[in-house]
mmCIF file of all heavy atoms in Angstrom:
data_model
loop_
_atom_site.group_PDB
_atom_site.id
_atom_site.type_symbol
_atom_site.label_atom_id
_atom_site.label_comp_id
_atom_site.label_asym_id
_atom_site.label_seq_id
_atom_site.Cartn_x
_atom_site.Cartn_y
_atom_site.Cartn_z
ATOM 1 N N GLN A 992 -0.501 6.749 -13.748
ATOM 2 C CA GLN A 992 -0.862 7.379 -12.480
ATOM 3 C C GLN A 992 -0.420 6.582 -11.265
ATOM 4 O O GLN A 992 0.077 7.142 -10.286
ATOM 5 C CB GLN A 992 -2.380 7.585 -12.413
ATOM 6 C CG GLN A 992 -2.889 8.219 -11.132
ATOM 7 C CD GLN A 992 -2.343 9.616 -10.928
ATOM 8 O OE1 GLN A 992 -2.286 10.413 -11.865
ATOM 9 N NE2 GLN A 992 -1.921 9.930 -9.712
ATOM 10 N N PHE A 993 -0.563 5.272 -11.325
ATOM 11 C CA PHE A 993 -0.446 4.440 -10.127
ATOM 12 C C PHE A 993 0.821 3.597 -10.074
ATOM 13 O O PHE A 993 1.380 3.400 -8.999
ATOM 14 C CB PHE A 993 -1.662 3.519 -10.061
ATOM 15 C CG PHE A 993 -1.882 2.847 -8.733
ATOM 16 C CD1 PHE A 993 -2.479 3.528 -7.681
ATOM 17 C CD2 PHE A 993 -1.524 1.517 -8.534
ATOM 18 C CE1 PHE A 993 -2.698 2.910 -6.463
ATOM 19 C CE2 PHE A 993 -1.735 0.887 -7.326
ATOM 20 C CZ PHE A 993 -2.327 1.586 -6.278
ATOM 21 N N ALA A 994 1.278 3.119 -11.221
ATOM 22 C CA ALA A 994 2.346 2.104 -11.208
ATOM 23 C C ALA A 994 3.225 2.197 -12.444
ATOM 24 O O ALA A 994 3.410 1.217 -13.174
ATOM 25 C CB ALA A 994 1.717 0.714 -11.107
ATOM 26 N N ALA A 995 3.802 3.356 -12.680
ATOM 27 C CA ALA A 995 4.566 3.588 -13.903
ATOM 28 C C ALA A 995 5.826 2.730 -14.012
ATOM 29 O O ALA A 995 6.345 2.524 -15.114
ATOM 30 C CB ALA A 995 4.934 5.068 -14.005
ATOM 31 N N ASP A 996 6.331 2.234 -12.891
ATOM 32 C CA ASP A 996 7.545 1.417 -12.901
ATOM 33 C C ASP A 996 7.250 -0.085 -12.811
ATOM 34 O O ASP A 996 8.144 -0.881 -12.507
ATOM 35 C CB ASP A 996 8.483 1.831 -11.767
ATOM 36 C CG ASP A 996 7.808 1.862 -10.401
ATOM 37 O OD1 ASP A 996 6.573 1.682 -10.340
ATOM 38 O OD2 ASP A 996 8.514 2.051 -9.393
ATOM 39 N N VAL A 997 6.021 -0.471 -13.087
ATOM 40 C CA VAL A 997 5.613 -1.881 -13.093
ATOM 41 C C VAL A 997 5.351 -2.283 -14.547
ATOM 42 O O VAL A 997 4.782 -1.491 -15.311
ATOM 43 C CB VAL A 997 4.345 -2.095 -12.237
ATOM 44 C CG1 VAL A 997 3.869 -3.548 -12.304
ATOM 45 C CG2 VAL A 997 4.615 -1.682 -10.790
ATOM 46 N N PRO A 998 5.769 -3.484 -14.975
ATOM 47 C CA PRO A 998 5.553 -3.902 -16.367
ATOM 48 C C PRO A 998 4.093 -3.784 -16.789
ATOM 49 O O PRO A 998 3.180 -4.060 -16.005
ATOM 50 C CB PRO A 998 6.026 -5.355 -16.369
ATOM 51 C CG PRO A 998 7.029 -5.433 -15.259
ATOM 52 C CD PRO A 998 6.516 -4.494 -14.204
ATOM 53 N N ARG A 999 3.877 -3.407 -18.048
ATOM 54 C CA ARG A 999 2.527 -3.140 -18.528
ATOM 55 C C ARG A 999 1.623 -4.358 -18.437
ATOM 56 O O ARG A 999 0.429 -4.224 -18.133
ATOM 57 C CB ARG A 999 2.578 -2.629 -19.979
ATOM 58 C CG ARG A 999 1.204 -2.209 -20.509
ATOM 59 C CD ARG A 999 1.303 -1.513 -21.838
ATOM 60 N NE ARG A 999 2.017 -0.255 -21.732
ATOM 61 C CZ ARG A 999 1.461 0.885 -21.319
ATOM 62 N NH1 ARG A 999 0.188 0.904 -20.926
ATOM 63 N NH2 ARG A 999 2.168 1.989 -21.250
ATOM 64 N N ASN A 1000 2.151 -5.549 -18.712
ATOM 65 C CA ASN A 1000 1.276 -6.724 -18.646
ATOM 66 C C ASN A 1000 0.714 -6.927 -17.236
ATOM 67 O O ASN A 1000 -0.404 -7.430 -17.064
ATOM 68 C CB ASN A 1000 2.008 -7.984 -19.120
ATOM 69 C CG ASN A 1000 3.207 -8.341 -18.263
ATOM 70 O OD1 ASN A 1000 3.689 -7.532 -17.474
ATOM 71 N ND2 ASN A 1000 3.710 -9.550 -18.420
ATOM 72 N N ARG A 1001 1.451 -6.479 -16.243
ATOM 73 C CA ARG A 1001 0.956 -6.593 -14.871
ATOM 74 C C ARG A 1001 0.005 -5.446 -14.534
ATOM 75 O O ARG A 1001 -1.014 -5.649 -13.876
ATOM 76 C CB ARG A 1001 2.116 -6.619 -13.878
ATOM 77 C CG ARG A 1001 1.645 -6.856 -12.450
ATOM 78 C CD ARG A 1001 2.754 -7.296 -11.554
ATOM 79 N NE ARG A 1001 2.248 -7.644 -10.234
ATOM 80 C CZ ARG A 1001 3.005 -7.991 -9.211
ATOM 81 N NH1 ARG A 1001 4.324 -8.068 -9.354
ATOM 82 N NH2 ARG A 1001 2.466 -8.289 -8.052
ATOM 83 N N THR A 1002 0.321 -4.238 -14.953
ATOM 84 C CA THR A 1002 -0.560 -3.114 -14.636
ATOM 85 C C THR A 1002 -1.901 -3.238 -15.358
ATOM 86 O O THR A 1002 -2.916 -2.741 -14.855
ATOM 87 C CB THR A 1002 0.091 -1.767 -14.984
ATOM 88 O OG1 THR A 1002 0.436 -1.738 -16.370
ATOM 89 C CG2 THR A 1002 1.328 -1.536 -14.148
ATOM 90 N N ASP A 1003 -1.913 -3.893 -16.514
ATOM 91 C CA ASP A 1003 -3.192 -4.134 -17.195
ATOM 92 C C ASP A 1003 -4.116 -4.972 -16.307
ATOM 93 O O ASP A 1003 -5.321 -4.715 -16.226
ATOM 94 C CB ASP A 1003 -2.966 -4.844 -18.536
ATOM 95 C CG ASP A 1003 -2.389 -3.920 -19.595
ATOM 96 O OD1 ASP A 1003 -2.390 -2.688 -19.375
ATOM 97 O OD2 ASP A 1003 -1.926 -4.420 -20.645
ATOM 98 N N LEU A 1004 -3.546 -5.974 -15.636
ATOM 99 C CA LEU A 1004 -4.333 -6.796 -14.701
ATOM 100 C C LEU A 1004 -4.720 -6.001 -13.456
ATOM 101 O O LEU A 1004 -5.836 -6.112 -12.952
ATOM 102 C CB LEU A 1004 -3.540 -8.039 -14.298
ATOM 103 C CG LEU A 1004 -3.293 -9.086 -15.375
ATOM 104 C CD1 LEU A 1004 -2.374 -10.189 -14.839
ATOM 105 C CD2 LEU A 1004 -4.608 -9.685 -15.854
ATOM 106 N N MET A 1005 -3.790 -5.211 -12.953
ATOM 107 C CA MET A 1005 -4.069 -4.405 -11.757
ATOM 108 C C MET A 1005 -5.202 -3.415 -12.014
ATOM 109 O O MET A 1005 -6.038 -3.172 -11.134
ATOM 110 C CB MET A 1005 -2.799 -3.658 -11.327
ATOM 111 C CG MET A 1005 -1.705 -4.547 -10.778
ATOM 112 S SD MET A 1005 -0.105 -3.686 -10.601
ATOM 113 C CE MET A 1005 -0.511 -2.437 -9.372
ATOM 114 N N ALA A 1006 -5.247 -2.858 -13.211
ATOM 115 C CA ALA A 1006 -6.305 -1.903 -13.542
ATOM 116 C C ALA A 1006 -7.668 -2.576 -13.540
ATOM 117 O O ALA A 1006 -8.659 -2.002 -13.073
ATOM 118 C CB ALA A 1006 -6.023 -1.267 -14.899
ATOM 119 N N VAL A 1007 -7.719 -3.792 -14.045
ATOM 120 C CA VAL A 1007 -8.988 -4.517 -14.126
ATOM 121 C C VAL A 1007 -9.461 -4.956 -12.739
ATOM 122 O O VAL A 1007 -10.660 -4.941 -12.447
ATOM 123 C CB VAL A 1007 -8.849 -5.740 -15.057
ATOM 124 C CG1 VAL A 1007 -10.081 -6.630 -14.975
ATOM 125 C CG2 VAL A 1007 -8.619 -5.281 -16.493
ATOM 126 N N THR A 1008 -8.528 -5.339 -11.882
ATOM 127 C CA THR A 1008 -8.887 -5.901 -10.572
ATOM 128 C C THR A 1008 -8.845 -4.866 -9.445
ATOM 129 O O THR A 1008 -9.008 -5.218 -8.278
ATOM 130 C CB THR A 1008 -7.945 -7.056 -10.205
ATOM 131 O OG1 THR A 1008 -6.587 -6.581 -10.168
ATOM 132 C CG2 THR A 1008 -8.049 -8.190 -11.218
ATOM 133 N N GLN A 1009 -8.625 -3.604 -9.760
ATOM 134 C CA GLN A 1009 -8.521 -2.577 -8.717
ATOM 135 C C GLN A 1009 -9.779 -2.523 -7.860
ATOM 136 O O GLN A 1009 -10.900 -2.719 -8.327
ATOM 137 C CB GLN A 1009 -8.257 -1.203 -9.332
ATOM 138 C CG GLN A 1009 -9.406 -0.651 -10.140
ATOM 139 C CD GLN A 1009 -9.120 0.767 -10.649
ATOM 140 O OE1 GLN A 1009 -9.081 1.719 -9.869
ATOM 141 N NE2 GLN A 1009 -8.927 0.879 -11.963
ATOM 142 N N ARG A 1010 -9.581 -2.261 -6.556
ATOM 143 C CA ARG A 1010 -10.690 -2.100 -5.620
ATOM 144 C C ARG A 1010 -11.018 -0.619 -5.501
ATOM 145 O O ARG A 1010 -10.131 0.185 -5.188
ATOM 146 C CB ARG A 1010 -10.295 -2.647 -4.245
ATOM 147 C CG ARG A 1010 -10.086 -4.153 -4.186
ATOM 148 C CD ARG A 1010 -11.382 -4.890 -3.911
ATOM 149 N NE ARG A 1010 -12.030 -4.381 -2.716
ATOM 150 C CZ ARG A 1010 -11.655 -4.685 -1.460
ATOM 151 N NH1 ARG A 1010 -10.630 -5.495 -1.238
ATOM 152 N NH2 ARG A 1010 -12.311 -4.182 -0.427
ATOM 153 N N PRO A 1011 -12.255 -0.214 -5.726
ATOM 154 C CA PRO A 1011 -12.594 1.203 -5.598
ATOM 155 C C PRO A 1011 -12.664 1.626 -4.141
ATOM 156 O O PRO A 1011 -12.926 0.822 -3.254
ATOM 157 C CB PRO A 1011 -13.972 1.289 -6.255
ATOM 158 C CG PRO A 1011 -14.576 -0.063 -5.991
ATOM 159 C CD PRO A 1011 -13.434 -1.036 -6.090
ATOM 160 N N VAL A 1012 -12.437 2.907 -3.915
ATOM 161 C CA VAL A 1012 -12.595 3.510 -2.594
ATOM 162 C C VAL A 1012 -13.735 4.513 -2.692
ATOM 163 O O VAL A 1012 -13.942 5.133 -3.737
ATOM 164 C CB VAL A 1012 -11.295 4.201 -2.133
ATOM 165 C CG1 VAL A 1012 -10.927 5.370 -3.040
ATOM 166 C CG2 VAL A 1012 -11.377 4.644 -0.683
ATOM 167 N N THR A 1013 -14.480 4.691 -1.632
ATOM 168 C CA THR A 1013 -15.545 5.685 -1.663
ATOM 169 C C THR A 1013 -14.950 7.084 -1.488
ATOM 170 O O THR A 1013 -13.922 7.256 -0.803
ATOM 171 C CB THR A 1013 -16.584 5.454 -0.551
ATOM 172 O OG1 THR A 1013 -15.980 5.679 0.723
ATOM 173 C CG2 THR A 1013 -17.160 4.042 -0.626
ATOM 174 N N SER A 1014 -15.592 8.057 -2.096
ATOM 175 C CA SER A 1014 -15.146 9.435 -1.916
ATOM 176 C C SER A 1014 -15.269 9.844 -0.456
ATOM 177 O O SER A 1014 -14.462 10.631 0.053
ATOM 178 C CB SER A 1014 -15.958 10.368 -2.813
ATOM 179 O OG SER A 1014 -17.348 10.272 -2.520
ATOM 180 N N ALA A 1015 -16.261 9.290 0.249
ATOM 181 C CA ALA A 1015 -16.448 9.607 1.662
ATOM 182 C C ALA A 1015 -15.268 9.137 2.512
ATOM 183 O O ALA A 1015 -14.871 9.811 3.469
ATOM 184 C CB ALA A 1015 -17.747 8.976 2.170
ATOM 185 N N ALA A 1016 -14.707 7.973 2.191
ATOM 186 C CA ALA A 1016 -13.565 7.456 2.953
ATOM 187 C C ALA A 1016 -12.368 8.385 2.835
ATOM 188 O O ALA A 1016 -11.661 8.651 3.823
ATOM 189 C CB ALA A 1016 -13.206 6.056 2.471
ATOM 190 N N LEU A 1017 -12.121 8.893 1.632
ATOM 191 C CA LEU A 1017 -10.967 9.773 1.423
ATOM 192 C C LEU A 1017 -11.169 11.144 2.043
ATOM 193 O O LEU A 1017 -10.191 11.848 2.336
ATOM 194 C CB LEU A 1017 -10.688 9.921 -0.077
ATOM 195 C CG LEU A 1017 -10.304 8.644 -0.826
ATOM 196 C CD1 LEU A 1017 -10.006 8.962 -2.282
ATOM 197 C CD2 LEU A 1017 -9.105 7.955 -0.174
ATOM 198 N N ALA A 1018 -12.427 11.530 2.248
ATOM 199 C CA ALA A 1018 -12.722 12.854 2.803
ATOM 200 C C ALA A 1018 -12.934 12.838 4.315
ATOM 201 O O ALA A 1018 -13.035 13.903 4.941
ATOM 202 C CB ALA A 1018 -13.963 13.431 2.121
ATOM 203 N N GLU A 1019 -12.990 11.663 4.929
ATOM 204 C CA GLU A 1019 -13.278 11.558 6.363
ATOM 205 C C GLU A 1019 -12.049 11.904 7.199
ATOM 206 O O GLU A 1019 -10.937 11.438 6.932
ATOM 207 C CB GLU A 1019 -13.757 10.145 6.700
ATOM 208 C CG GLU A 1019 -14.181 9.975 8.148
ATOM 209 C CD GLU A 1019 -14.704 8.578 8.442
ATOM 210 O OE1 GLU A 1019 -15.027 7.832 7.491
ATOM 211 O OE2 GLU A 1019 -14.800 8.227 9.636
ATOM 212 N N GLY A 1020 -12.260 12.696 8.239
ATOM 213 C CA GLY A 1020 -11.164 13.076 9.128
ATOM 214 C C GLY A 1020 -10.721 11.932 10.017
ATOM 215 O O GLY A 1020 -11.517 11.082 10.412
ATOM 216 N N ALA A 1021 -9.437 11.921 10.327
ATOM 217 C CA ALA A 1021 -8.848 10.844 11.130
ATOM 218 C C ALA A 1021 -9.123 11.041 12.615
ATOM 219 O O ALA A 1021 -9.352 12.158 13.095
ATOM 220 C CB ALA A 1021 -7.350 10.784 10.888
ATOM 221 N N ALA A 1022 -9.075 9.943 13.344
ATOM 222 C CA ALA A 1022 -9.147 9.971 14.802
ATOM 223 C C ALA A 1022 -7.748 10.221 15.373
ATOM 224 O O ALA A 1022 -6.791 10.473 14.629
ATOM 225 C CB ALA A 1022 -9.721 8.658 15.318
ATOM 226 N N GLU A 1023 -7.625 10.140 16.697
ATOM 227 C CA GLU A 1023 -6.318 10.331 17.343
ATOM 228 C C GLU A 1023 -5.330 9.301 16.790
ATOM 229 O O GLU A 1023 -5.574 8.096 16.852
ATOM 230 C CB GLU A 1023 -6.445 10.169 18.855
ATOM 231 C CG GLU A 1023 -5.197 10.536 19.628
ATOM 232 C CD GLU A 1023 -4.860 12.026 19.564
ATOM 233 O OE1 GLU A 1023 -5.763 12.845 19.295
ATOM 234 O OE2 GLU A 1023 -3.685 12.356 19.783
ATOM 235 N N PRO A 1024 -4.200 9.731 16.218
ATOM 236 C CA PRO A 1024 -3.314 8.800 15.511
ATOM 237 C C PRO A 1024 -2.384 8.005 16.430
ATOM 238 O O PRO A 1024 -1.847 8.541 17.406
ATOM 239 C CB PRO A 1024 -2.511 9.715 14.590
ATOM 240 C CG PRO A 1024 -2.462 11.019 15.310
ATOM 241 C CD PRO A 1024 -3.763 11.136 16.055
ATOM 242 N N ALA A 1025 -2.170 6.749 16.064
ATOM 243 C CA ALA A 1025 -1.305 5.868 16.858
ATOM 244 C C ALA A 1025 0.161 6.233 16.735
ATOM 245 O O ALA A 1025 0.956 5.879 17.616
ATOM 246 C CB ALA A 1025 -1.521 4.420 16.419
ATOM 247 N N TRP A 1026 0.549 6.945 15.660
ATOM 248 C CA TRP A 1026 1.975 7.263 15.502
ATOM 249 C C TRP A 1026 2.485 8.220 16.588
ATOM 250 O O TRP A 1026 3.699 8.403 16.730
ATOM 251 C CB TRP A 1026 2.282 7.821 14.118
ATOM 252 C CG TRP A 1026 1.430 8.949 13.593
ATOM 253 C CD1 TRP A 1026 0.428 8.863 12.679
ATOM 254 C CD2 TRP A 1026 1.538 10.346 13.926
ATOM 255 N NE1 TRP A 1026 -0.114 10.106 12.421
ATOM 256 C CE2 TRP A 1026 0.548 11.033 13.168
ATOM 257 C CE3 TRP A 1026 2.360 11.080 14.784
ATOM 258 C CZ2 TRP A 1026 0.367 12.422 13.241
ATOM 259 C CZ3 TRP A 1026 2.168 12.457 14.871
ATOM 260 C CH2 TRP A 1026 1.184 13.113 14.105
ATOM 261 N N LYS A 1027 1.588 8.788 17.370
ATOM 262 C CA LYS A 1027 2.025 9.644 18.472
ATOM 263 C C LYS A 1027 2.587 8.844 19.640
ATOM 264 O O LYS A 1027 3.334 9.384 20.465
ATOM 265 C CB LYS A 1027 0.867 10.518 18.949
ATOM 266 C CG LYS A 1027 0.471 11.608 17.959
ATOM 267 C CD LYS A 1027 -0.547 12.554 18.545
ATOM 268 C CE LYS A 1027 -0.852 13.695 17.591
ATOM 269 N NZ LYS A 1027 -1.829 14.657 18.159
ATOM 270 N N THR A 1028 2.241 7.577 19.728
ATOM 271 C CA THR A 1028 2.680 6.746 20.855
ATOM 272 C C THR A 1028 3.423 5.485 20.442
ATOM 273 O O THR A 1028 4.033 4.825 21.282
ATOM 274 C CB THR A 1028 1.463 6.331 21.716
ATOM 275 O OG1 THR A 1028 0.505 5.663 20.884
ATOM 276 C CG2 THR A 1028 0.801 7.555 22.350
ATOM 277 N N ILE A 1029 3.373 5.118 19.166
ATOM 278 C CA ILE A 1029 4.017 3.894 18.682
ATOM 279 C C ILE A 1029 5.115 4.281 17.692
ATOM 280 O O ILE A 1029 4.879 5.109 16.807
ATOM 281 C CB ILE A 1029 2.986 2.966 17.999
ATOM 282 C CG1 ILE A 1029 1.889 2.567 18.986
ATOM 283 C CG2 ILE A 1029 3.668 1.715 17.439
ATOM 284 C CD1 ILE A 1029 0.742 1.772 18.353
ATOM 285 N N PRO A 1030 6.319 3.708 17.787
ATOM 286 C CA PRO A 1030 7.395 4.042 16.847
ATOM 287 C C PRO A 1030 6.974 3.787 15.398
ATOM 288 O O PRO A 1030 6.283 2.817 15.105
ATOM 289 C CB PRO A 1030 8.531 3.097 17.259
ATOM 290 C CG PRO A 1030 8.238 2.729 18.677
ATOM 291 C CD PRO A 1030 6.748 2.727 18.813
ATOM 292 N N SER A 1031 7.403 4.699 14.512
ATOM 293 C CA SER A 1031 6.963 4.589 13.121
ATOM 294 C C SER A 1031 8.137 4.662 12.154
ATOM 295 O O SER A 1031 9.164 5.295 12.427
ATOM 296 C CB SER A 1031 5.948 5.687 12.793
ATOM 297 O OG SER A 1031 6.488 6.970 13.036
ATOM 298 N N TRP A 1032 7.942 3.987 11.021
ATOM 299 C CA TRP A 1032 8.890 3.970 9.917
ATOM 300 C C TRP A 1032 8.153 4.425 8.658
ATOM 301 O O TRP A 1032 7.002 4.034 8.439
ATOM 302 C CB TRP A 1032 9.448 2.563 9.707
ATOM 303 C CG TRP A 1032 10.569 2.206 10.625
ATOM 304 C CD1 TRP A 1032 11.886 2.097 10.315
ATOM 305 C CD2 TRP A 1032 10.489 1.880 12.024
ATOM 306 N NE1 TRP A 1032 12.629 1.743 11.418
ATOM 307 C CE2 TRP A 1032 11.790 1.605 12.487
ATOM 308 C CE3 TRP A 1032 9.423 1.815 12.934
ATOM 309 C CZ2 TRP A 1032 12.067 1.262 13.802
ATOM 310 C CZ3 TRP A 1032 9.693 1.486 14.248
ATOM 311 C CH2 TRP A 1032 10.993 1.212 14.675
ATOM 312 N N VAL A 1033 8.817 5.220 7.826
ATOM 313 C CA VAL A 1033 8.211 5.728 6.590
ATOM 314 C C VAL A 1033 9.134 5.450 5.419
ATOM 315 O O VAL A 1033 10.346 5.705 5.490
ATOM 316 C CB VAL A 1033 7.943 7.252 6.691
ATOM 317 C CG1 VAL A 1033 7.567 7.817 5.324
ATOM 318 C CG2 VAL A 1033 6.839 7.539 7.696
ATOM 319 N N LEU A 1034 8.547 4.931 4.342
ATOM 320 C CA LEU A 1034 9.260 4.797 3.071
ATOM 321 C C LEU A 1034 8.600 5.751 2.084
ATOM 322 O O LEU A 1034 7.423 5.588 1.743
ATOM 323 C CB LEU A 1034 9.205 3.363 2.558
ATOM 324 C CG LEU A 1034 9.914 3.123 1.211
ATOM 325 C CD1 LEU A 1034 11.415 3.426 1.326
ATOM 326 C CD2 LEU A 1034 9.712 1.687 0.734
ATOM 327 N N VAL A 1035 9.348 6.750 1.646
ATOM 328 C CA VAL A 1035 8.856 7.751 0.706
ATOM 329 C C VAL A 1035 9.107 7.275 -0.721
ATOM 330 O O VAL A 1035 10.239 6.921 -1.073
ATOM 331 C CB VAL A 1035 9.558 9.108 0.934
ATOM 332 C CG1 VAL A 1035 9.119 10.125 -0.124
ATOM 333 C CG2 VAL A 1035 9.285 9.633 2.341
ATOM 334 N N ALA A 1036 8.058 7.250 -1.531
ATOM 335 C CA ALA A 1036 8.177 6.928 -2.957
ATOM 336 C C ALA A 1036 8.355 8.242 -3.708
ATOM 337 O O ALA A 1036 7.420 9.043 -3.800
ATOM 338 C CB ALA A 1036 6.951 6.180 -3.439
#
């Protein structure tokens, strides 16, 4: 799901040490975004 192109010995550690996020954080609406006034760069995976 998260890191299919990373070696398994490393993803095994990443899975154990992952930091959880609250469902509320992912569902909360954003405030006025800074990308409207500050230049932005995006890297699409």
Side-chain angles (χ1 to χ4, degrees):
Q992 179 62 43
F993 195 80
D996 52 353
V997 177
R999 185 171 295 278
N1000 62 345
R1001 185 162 186 184
T1002 58
D1003 286 347
L1004 292 174
M1005 291 168 64
V1007 171
T1008 59
Q1009 68 176 290
R1010 293 273 306 282
V1012 64
T1013 67
S1014 59
L1017 297 182
E1019 184 178 344
E1023 188 67 22
W1026 50 257
K1027 290 188 176 181
T1028 56
I1029 300 174
S1031 57
W1032 278 253
V1033 169
L1034 179 62
V1035 176

